[in-house]
């Protein structure tokens, strides 16, 4: 026996050029559950078994009910059992997203981002999300990337780091990188007397001939060729250092271009200071003065020597008369002066000497 009958609103399938009825009972045999399905034009009816009331299973009628949830048939209606991350609408016939971020920030320590049916925690720059997917820990960029401050020293601080740059580098505006300083552009005269080449953190001076880079200094320093013996001056020349080079000059007493020097004969050239009563003697690179006989002094100053006063025995048998540079004897009666007038001799001796000089030599047989 059937206890009740349920009539469902009409439904038709439109198919041009005529309309055909849909047999819902044939398409869904269990459409009426605990009852018999009776197709009608444009609809169907359920004749329920004894002990059952008529009810439509809305969940079986449509797959679009309870999106993001499960449809649960109820007597005379249905309800939605929502998936995790969704909650039922007030009439419990739909599911809407739960914004977890509005509830204690979703449990996130820093940033919470809601998504359809879920949410995600994220950290600020410089922090990493921990395995619990909620808390954040500082990233030590200095340890993680040792060369992050190439050209400087890295210092980690909460959420970021700073670069303390070495000489030859400058920090960027955010102090997160070290930038090479181009010293050549910064100071065009840094390699005076040379060419400047910029290098990472420094520079190199390629000096011109006669200059070098002195340890502990910048730029090009003049090479003192005279001090280090890097010259070709003659041994009798003086080396004179000049910027980038040197000059040679012959010393006093020598003449030449400095590369080759020869002795200057001051005596021959009469370029000396000897006293007129002295003899000039040339020496290598100089000369010396010697007072002539009969004069005393150092050669530059010579005074007459009074031989008569110095030696009373001069001019025996006569009188000694001093003369500039010498003396002469004025002999007594019966004596005559010698040829150089520096002594007196008897007249008999003079006659004997004359005879010996003029007598003919004996012929040898």
């Amino acid at each position: 026996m059937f206890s009740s009958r349920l009539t469902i609103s009409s439904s038709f399938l439109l198919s041009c050029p005529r309309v055909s009825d849909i047999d819902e009972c044939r398409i869904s045999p269990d459409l009426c559950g605990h009852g018999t399905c009776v197709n009608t034009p444009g609809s169907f009816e359920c004749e329920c078994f004894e002990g059952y009331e008529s009810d439509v299973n809305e969940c079986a009628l449509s797959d679009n009910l309870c999106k993001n949830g499960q449809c649960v048939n109820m007597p005379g209606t249905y309800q939605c059992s929502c998936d995790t991350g969704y909650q039922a609408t007030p009439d419990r016939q739909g599911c809407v997203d739960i914004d977890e971020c509005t509830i204690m920030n979703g449990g996130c320590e820093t940033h919470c981002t809601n998504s359809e049916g879920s949410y995600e925690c994220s950290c600020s720059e410089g922090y990493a999300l921990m395995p619990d997917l909620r808390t954040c820990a500082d990233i030590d960029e200095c340890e993680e990337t040792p060369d992050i401050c190439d050209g400087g020293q890295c210092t980690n601080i909460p959420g970021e780091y700073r670069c303390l740059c070495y000489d030859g580098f400058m920090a960027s505006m955010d102090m997160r990188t070290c930038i090479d300083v181009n010293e050549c552009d910064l100071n065009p005269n840094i390699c005076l007397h040379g060419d400047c080449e910029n290098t990472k953190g420094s520079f190199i001076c390629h000096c011109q001939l006669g200059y070098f880079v002195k340890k502990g200094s910048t730029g090009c320093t003049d090479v003192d060729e005279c001090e280090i013996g890097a010259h070709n001056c003659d041994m009798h020349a003086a080396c004179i250092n000049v910027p980038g080079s040197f000059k040679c000059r012959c010393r006093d007493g020598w003449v030449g271009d400095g590369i080759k020097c020869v002795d200057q004969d001051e005596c021959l050239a009469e370029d000396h200071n000897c006293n007129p009563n002295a003899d000039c003697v040339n020496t290598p690179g100089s000369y010396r003065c010697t007072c002539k006989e009969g004069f005393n002094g150092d050669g530059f100053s010579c005074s007459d020597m009074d031989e008569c006063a110095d030696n009373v025995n001069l001019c025996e048998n006569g009188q000694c008369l001093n003369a500039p540079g010498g003396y002469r004897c004025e002999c007594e009666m019966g004596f005559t002066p010698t040829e150089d007038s520096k002594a007196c001799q008897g007249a008999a001796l003079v006659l004997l000497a004359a005879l010996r000089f003029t007598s003919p030599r004996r012929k040898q047989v």
Side-chain angles (χ1 to χ4, degrees):
M1 294 292 293
F2 296 102
S3 60
S4 63
R5 174 175 294 195
L6 175 65
T7 301
I8 307 300
S9 59
S10 61
S11 62
F12 292 91
L13 176 64
L14 181 63
S15 177
C16 297
R18 63 183 180 176
V19 177
S20 299
D21 175 51
I22 297 173
D23 188 348
E24 294 89 352
C25 299
R26 183 175 62 82
I27 294 173
S28 301
D30 296 329
L31 188 60
C32 290
H34 297 284
T36 302
C37 180
V38 179
N39 187 57
T40 60
S43 186
F44 68 94
E45 293 180 352
C46 289
E47 295 179 352
C48 298
F49 300 145
E50 186 177 359
Y52 290 90
E53 295 180 354
S54 60
D55 178 50
V56 177
N57 187 349
E58 295 88 352
C59 299
L61 287 175
S62 175
D63 294 334
N64 294 325
L65 297 177
C66 297
K67 184 180 179 182
N68 299 315
Q70 301 297 322
C71 181
V72 179
N73 189 57
M74 305 290 289
T77 185
Y78 69 94
Q79 291 183 356
C80 293
S81 176
C82 298
D83 297 337
T84 303
Y86 295 88
Q87 62 183 359
T89 57
D91 61 3
R92 303 187 66 80
Q93 292 189 347
C95 295
V96 294
D97 173 56
I98 299 173
D99 189 350
E100 296 87 352
C101 296
T102 61
I103 307 169
M104 298 182 66
N105 201 38
C108 299
E109 182 180 357
T110 308
H111 303 296
C112 178
T113 304
N114 186 60
S115 61
E116 190 69 23
S118 184
Y119 70 100
E120 184 180 18
C121 296
S122 60
C123 302
S124 301
E125 187 180 2
Y127 292 86
L129 193 65
M130 298 302 289
D132 62 5
L133 302 180
R134 283 173 171 74
T135 57
C136 297
D138 174 53
I139 298 173
D140 189 342
E141 296 87 352
C142 302
E143 183 176 348
E144 194 172 87
T145 311
D147 295 331
I148 197 168
C149 286
D150 187 21
Q153 182 179 351
C154 180
T155 302
N156 187 64
I157 58 178
E160 54 183 326
Y161 66 95
R162 291 284 183 270
C163 291
L164 181 63
C165 301
Y166 303 138
D167 289 342
F169 293 88
M170 61 180 294
S172 58
M173 293 294 292
D174 59 5
M175 298 186 69
R176 294 167 71 92
T177 55
C178 290
I179 305 167
D180 173 53
V181 175
N182 190 330
E183 296 86 353
C184 301
D185 290 343
L186 196 64
N187 183 3
N189 295 322
I190 197 168
C191 284
L192 197 63
H193 305 299
D195 297 321
C196 181
E197 177 190 352
N198 187 60
T199 60
K200 188 176 181 179
S202 187
F203 65 96
I204 297 173
C205 287
H206 299 284
C207 299
Q208 298 169 0
L209 187 65
Y211 294 87
F212 75 110
V213 177
K214 188 176 182 180
K215 187 177 181 181
S217 66
T218 58
C220 296
T221 302
D222 173 53
V223 176
D224 191 338
E225 296 86 354
C226 301
E227 183 179 354
I228 64 176
H231 63 84
N232 59 344
C233 295
D234 190 272
M235 63 180 296
H236 300 298
C239 178
I240 303 167
N241 187 61
V242 295
S245 186
F246 64 95
K247 291 181 179 179
C248 301
R249 185 175 64 193
C250 293
R251 294 190 176 95
D252 291 342
W254 301 86
V255 291
D257 58 4
I259 306 300
K260 181 174 179 61
C261 299
V262 295
D263 176 50
Q264 177 183 3
D265 192 338
E266 297 86 352
C267 300
L268 181 63
E270 295 186 355
D271 183 18
H272 59 82
N273 295 320
C274 292
N275 190 274
N277 295 313
D279 294 321
C280 178
V281 180
N282 187 59
T283 60
S286 186
Y287 64 94
R288 71 172 185 272
C289 301
T290 306
C291 291
K292 295 177 180 178
E293 187 178 359
F295 292 89
N296 283 327
D298 57 6
F300 298 99
S301 177
C302 297
S303 58
D304 177 51
M305 180 190 302
D306 190 346
E307 295 86 353
C308 301
D310 292 341
N311 188 355
V312 295
N313 294 320
L314 292 176
C315 296
E316 186 179 0
N317 301 312
Q319 182 180 358
C320 181
L321 299 176
N322 187 57
Y327 69 94
R328 64 184 178 83
C329 294
E330 190 175 280
C331 300
E332 297 174 354
M333 186 73 68
F335 292 89
T336 60
T338 57
E339 188 175 351
D340 58 4
S341 297
K342 292 187 179 298
C344 293
Q345 57 186 351
L349 293 176
V350 174
L351 179 60
L352 180 60
L355 290 174
R356 285 180 180 175
F357 181 75
T358 57
S359 62
R361 294 184 180 178
R362 181 181 298 176
K363 294 182 180 180
Q364 294 181 356
V365 179

